[in-house]
Amino acid sequence: MAACRPGSLTFHGITRDDPYAWLRADNWREVMSDPGLLDGDIRAYLEAENAFTKAGMAATEGLQEALFAEMKGRLKEDDSSVPSPDGTFAYYHRYEIGGQHPVFCRKSLEDEAEEILLDGNREAQGEAFFRVIACEHSPDHRYLAYAADRNGSEQYVINVKDLDSGAQLADSIGGAQGSIAWANDGKTLFYVTLDAEHRPSKVFRHRLGSDPKEDVLVYAEPDPGFFIGLGVSESRRFIIISAHDHTTSEVRVIPADRPEEEARLIAPRDSGVEYEVSDQGERFLILTNADGAIDFKIVEAPIDKPGRAAWRDLVPHRPGRLILSLLVFKNHMVRLEREEGLPRAVVTALADGSEHAVAFDEEAYALGLVPGYLYDTTTLRFSYSSLTTPTRIYDYDMETRERELLKEQEIPSGHNPQDYESRRLLASGHDGVDIPISLVHHKSTPLDGSAPLLLYGYGAYGHAIPAGFSTNRFSLIDRGFIYAIAHVRGGTDKGYSWYLDGKLEKKRNSFLDFIAAGEALVQQGLTRKGRIVAHGGSAGGLLVGAAVNLRPDLFGGVIAEVPFVDVLTTMCDKELPLTPPEWPEWGNPIEDRQAYETIAAYSPYDNVEAKAYPPMLVTAGLTDPRVTYWEPAKWVAKLRAVKTGDAPLFLKTNMSAGHGGAAGRFDKLIEVALAYSFALMVTGKA
């Protein structure tokens, strides 16, 4: 049990005792870069909790091994992505049998000879953690720039490899966010750096062969609440620099043929207005929510005069039809949109404005656009899956409307979609609003209330949870679990208003929706109270943490992965990496007393009470810059001290990883096996 030490915070004349504040390392910035610098008392506590979890889960070690073997058996070990053509090459990544990390490759379109560009397995040798976040070849195919994280802190080092000689250049850039954009000369590279608070805040221009210390500052974001993004337009005519928080954005462009030009502003930021920019011919095509277009619209503007005054509607706003993204080709425009909870792709011929939709007939499915390197093409690539159907990759001819199946996800151990049933239900919320629930189960699973059920949710930042395929889930489903996703407010599952109704002062709707989903599944006879395992990660960890505070009796277990549970303390600490950018999502409790009181009323850490909580498994990552390790650590410490009953409470901290957990594809399965063995154990299925 963690020691209680004096600690308190005062805002708006309100003082909160925080006896576990000591678990926050004062040198957290240094620990992100070097975990060995963690204070000894904190390390001892985390390692003691890890040992307690290992002992408490010891009876499931055989089950964990079996789950790992099952999940690994569903992975095609030598899998590869579908090659994406560019010039005389096609680029792709693949895995080797036994390999943890991707191998980045290309092949000649003439003789299909493979060339290994970067071997992730070789790069990861001797590293406790390794992940490549970006791997971009230069337009002339001569160089490869890649960004790698070697401790899980999301502080990347960018290196450049000469693909002709195979040699790595001396150009090495540290402290980077990971985004890379090449200018068309093949010698100029743009990248983003992190500030002392781990926020992407500056864009630099680097010339190959020069000292990175001499790199030119292209743009510096003055607002600590804004993040920087970097990319290249589909036509490769423009380098695109975006500054944004969760509700407002601002875009600048640089001609990719003239990389030394000053970045040109498209339209000044306007609070609450978001926009993204593509180009086509002599115009920009802009996806935006300007002018009250809550579910977004597409406008056009002249390239030489792109300000708001020149924006003209191309695809007008239609309430209830949320335009999610835009992909532009030389003669076609494709928008991905969602209406009535289901996605579809709409293809527009830019010559005459005619359009048609690409959609599917299943009750719940996931659809995604797959960007490529080609601009002057009639081929659209997209992915499709459902809760029962493995992922399929298609090439679609936007003129003939013919589709070609390029790849279907292979399940080596076998998978028959006909053995499973998926459907979508509706739960009535506390205010009468219908909450969608997607679920899947084996057809042999009894639907008489006896089955255990895993209820997953997220509900923040406008992220919708797609009803897509996951091989791992079937280790629960094949053991009699019903797997359900609660599409709660805070996501955009039912449009942008669904997001607005689950944030700031309306955040409580998310938690009540999750509870309503669980109650509806009980009322419809699919499971029973106390047979539901709640599962969420990050902001989804907040969701399940708040829900279990409100209704501990509803759940038979809780899996909270890197949970954002000390919301009030974090939102009151403007030095932490994500705090200022997060204020539009949660509120600024430093300046706004009402925001303070709203967050205080639901923050899981602040609302732990002396009650019988269900069994809980909580995870953390020591180098996590998004949800710092001390949030779940403090939550568990307080729960252990306050809760009644003897239900198990476990904390597992990955001492060499961050927010995403283990980087290796097999190491990741070990973490999933722990979570699923916990779910099976607490529901009597172990």
Side-chain angles (χ1 to χ4, degrees):
M1 185 173 290
C4 292
R5 299 179 184 176
S8 63
L9 292 169
T10 300
F11 288 90
H12 307 291
I14 304 169
T15 298
R16 297 161 52 237
D17 290 329
D18 192 356
Y20 303 108
W22 64 273
L23 289 169
R24 175 191 187 276
D26 292 334
N27 65 335
W28 62 266
R29 294 177 182 84
E30 292 75 19
V31 171
M32 291 283 179
S33 300
D34 183 359
L37 298 176
L38 183 65
D39 174 82
D41 284 353
I42 299 173
R43 181 175 295 276
Y45 166 71
L46 297 177
E47 290 180 344
E49 286 284 1
N50 281 352
F52 181 78
T53 297
K54 182 175 178 60
M57 296 292 294
T60 70
E61 287 181 358
L63 174 61
Q64 291 179 50
E65 292 174 1
L67 291 169
F68 172 81
E70 282 178 16
M71 292 186 288
K72 185 178 179 182
R74 296 190 191 100
L75 295 180
K76 189 177 189 302
E77 289 204 36
D78 56 351
D79 201 6
S80 65
S81 65
V82 178
S84 183
D86 185 18
T88 60
F89 295 98
Y91 290 82
Y92 60 100
H93 68 268
R94 61 173 174 80
Y95 289 91
E96 296 179 341
I97 294 176
Q100 292 260 32
H101 302 278
V103 179
F104 297 91
C105 308
R106 70 182 178 190
K107 63 181 179 181
S108 168
L109 294 179
E110 294 180 1
D111 57 16
E112 296 198 346
E114 180 181 84
E115 179 183 355
I116 294 177
L117 308 180
L118 182 70
D119 187 336
N121 298 304
R122 180 174 296 177
E123 293 286 329
Q125 287 179 359
E127 303 281 1
F129 182 96
F130 178 79
R131 176 180 286 131
V132 173
I133 190 67
C135 195
E136 303 288 346
H137 62 274
S138 58
D140 60 4
H141 307 280
R142 170 72 185 275
Y143 299 101
L144 183 80
Y146 65 96
D149 177 4
R150 296 179 184 270
N151 63 16
S153 67
E154 300 178 37
Q155 299 182 68
Y156 296 92
V157 175
I158 297 174
N159 288 308
V160 181
K161 185 177 179 181
D162 185 331
L163 297 179
D164 285 352
S165 67
Q168 184 162 296
L169 304 186
D171 312 61
S172 185
I173 302 164
Q177 174 259 1
S179 297
I180 299 167
W182 285 99
N184 287 339
D185 61 8
K187 302 292 191 298
T188 304
L189 192 66
F190 293 84
Y191 63 92
V192 180
T193 60
L194 302 169
D195 65 14
E197 277 67 48
H198 207 283
R199 298 170 194 139
S201 61
K202 294 179 180 178
V203 177
F204 285 89
R205 185 179 70 240
H206 175 73
R207 183 77 177 174
L208 292 188
S210 66
D211 187 340
K213 294 179 181 178
E214 300 173 355
D215 287 352
V216 176
L217 176 64
V218 174
Y219 176 72
E221 173 54 47
D223 189 336
F226 273 62
F227 280 1
I228 298 299
L230 178 66
V232 180
S233 68
E234 296 95 326
S235 69
R236 297 191 187 178
R237 289 175 62 192
F238 295 99
I239 307 296
I240 296 178
I241 300 169
S242 63
H244 59 91
D245 60 15
H246 292 297
T247 60
T248 304
S249 58
E250 181 180 76
V251 175
R252 289 170 171 80
V253 297
I254 298 172
D257 286 336
R258 302 186 300 278
E260 295 184 359
E261 282 196 9
E262 184 177 349
R264 182 163 62 106
L265 179 64
I266 298 294
R269 68 190 64 175
D270 182 1
S271 182
V273 174
E274 301 177 63
Y275 68 95
E276 300 174 5
V277 175
S278 296
D279 67 281
Q280 190 269 337
E282 295 306 312
R283 61 181 175 174
F284 286 116
L285 300 180
I286 301 170
L287 174 62
T288 182
N289 65 346
D291 309 313
I294 188 172
D295 286 316
F296 289 77
K297 63 180 180 177
I298 299 171
V299 303
E300 60 178 352
I303 281 181
D304 60 355
K305 190 178 181 181
R308 283 276 298 274
W311 290 9
R312 185 178 70 84
D313 284 5
L314 190 63
V315 179
H317 175 242
R318 190 172 80 203
R321 178 194 64 186
L322 177 62
I323 304 178
L324 301 166
S325 63
L326 181 65
L327 189 59
V328 175
F329 300 89
K330 182 178 180 180
N331 297 310
H332 297 85
M333 174 180 74
V334 183
R335 67 181 188 266
L336 182 65
E337 61 186 35
R338 186 187 302 116
E339 193 165 18
E340 298 298 328
L342 290 178
R344 62 175 170 257
V346 179
V347 178
T348 302
L350 293 171
D352 59 11
S354 61
E355 64 180 39
H356 66 274
V358 181
F360 293 83
D361 295 330
E362 287 198 64
E363 195 171 332
Y365 60 86
L367 182 66
L369 306 182
V370 182
Y373 299 109
L374 300 183
Y375 179 66
D376 187 1
T377 179
T378 63
T379 300
L380 166 69
R381 184 165 292 176
F382 64 85
S383 65
Y384 165 83
S385 72
S386 74
L387 292 170
T388 62
T389 307
T391 301
R392 297 170 179 168
I393 305 295
Y394 292 90
D395 268 358
Y396 178 80
D397 191 304
M398 294 180 283
E399 292 185 353
T400 67
R401 305 189 186 185
E402 295 178 352
R403 66 180 69 172
E404 177 186 2
L405 177 62
L406 301 179
K407 178 184 177 181
E408 182 167 356
Q409 182 181 3
E410 184 179 335
I411 315 298
S413 60
H415 174 77
N416 182 4
Q418 303 306 315
D419 289 341
Y420 305 94
E421 181 177 347
S422 68
R423 49 183 161 146
R424 178 162 288 204
L425 307 176
L426 294 175
S428 180
H430 68 99
D431 52 0
V433 172
D434 286 336
I435 302 124
I437 307 168
S438 299
L439 61 84
V440 58
H441 58 83
H442 197 283
K443 286 184 176 178
S444 67
T445 299
L447 303 181
D448 58 2
S450 64
L453 184 144
L454 188 138
L455 183 61
Y456 181 85
Y458 188 76
Y461 307 115
H463 295 331
I465 304 300
F469 190 77
S470 168
T471 58
N472 293 339
R473 296 171 185 161
F474 290 91
S475 284
L476 290 180
I477 294 167
D478 287 346
R479 286 175 169 82
F481 259 80
I482 298 171
Y483 189 97
I485 301 169
H487 302 280
V488 303
R489 279 173 280 191
T492 53
D493 306 76
K494 293 179 66 175
Y496 202 81
S497 61
W498 198 245
Y499 166 46
L500 298 178
D501 284 343
K503 63 180 292 192
L504 296 171
E505 73 279 358
K506 297 180 180 180
K507 187 64 206 170
R508 186 176 172 86
N509 284 336
S510 302
F511 317 135
L512 296 179
D513 286 357
F514 192 75
I515 291 169
E519 290 176 331
L521 292 164
V522 171
Q523 291 166 3
Q524 296 188 35
L526 293 172
T527 190
R528 292 198 302 266
K529 188 169 68 172
R531 296 286 283 163
I532 300 173
V533 177
H535 184 197
S538 194
L542 161 62
L543 176 73
V544 301
V548 78
N549 272 339
L550 294 169
R551 285 291 308 278
D553 62 304
L554 182 60
F555 304 104
V558 173
I559 301 169
E561 297 176 312
V562 290
F564 180 37
V565 284
D566 193 12
V567 187
L568 188 56
T569 306
T570 293
M571 288 297 101
C572 286
D573 189 345
K574 60 185 179 182
E575 292 187 355
L576 291 177
L578 295 185
T579 295
E582 296 289 287
W583 285 332
E585 179 76 16
W586 313 102
N588 181 349
I590 299 174
E591 304 293 338
D592 184 347
R593 182 185 178 110
Q594 183 58 54
Y596 182 99
E597 292 176 349
T598 296
I599 297 170
Y602 68 71
S603 176
Y605 178 68
D606 292 283
N607 288 279
V608 170
E609 296 177 336
K611 60 178 66 169
Y613 285 85
M616 301 174 70
L617 172 65
V618 183
T619 70
L622 183 59
T623 56
D624 188 346
R626 298 172 184 260
V627 176
T628 50
Y629 74 85
W630 59 82
E631 290 206 31
K634 289 172 59 179
W635 187 43
V636 167
K638 190 171 184 180
L639 280 163
R640 200 177 298 291
V642 173
K643 76 180 187 73
T644 62
D646 56 2
L649 172 61
F650 300 128
L651 172 65
K652 177 67 169 68
T653 302
N654 191 322
M655 304 298 284
S656 58
H659 196 66
R665 57 174 177 159
F666 301 137
D667 289 343
K668 185 65 180 176
L669 295 182
I670 294 173
E671 297 179 338
V672 178
L674 175 68
Y676 282 4
S677 66
F678 174 82
L680 291 162
M681 180 182 74
V682 299
T683 56
K685 288 284 188 176

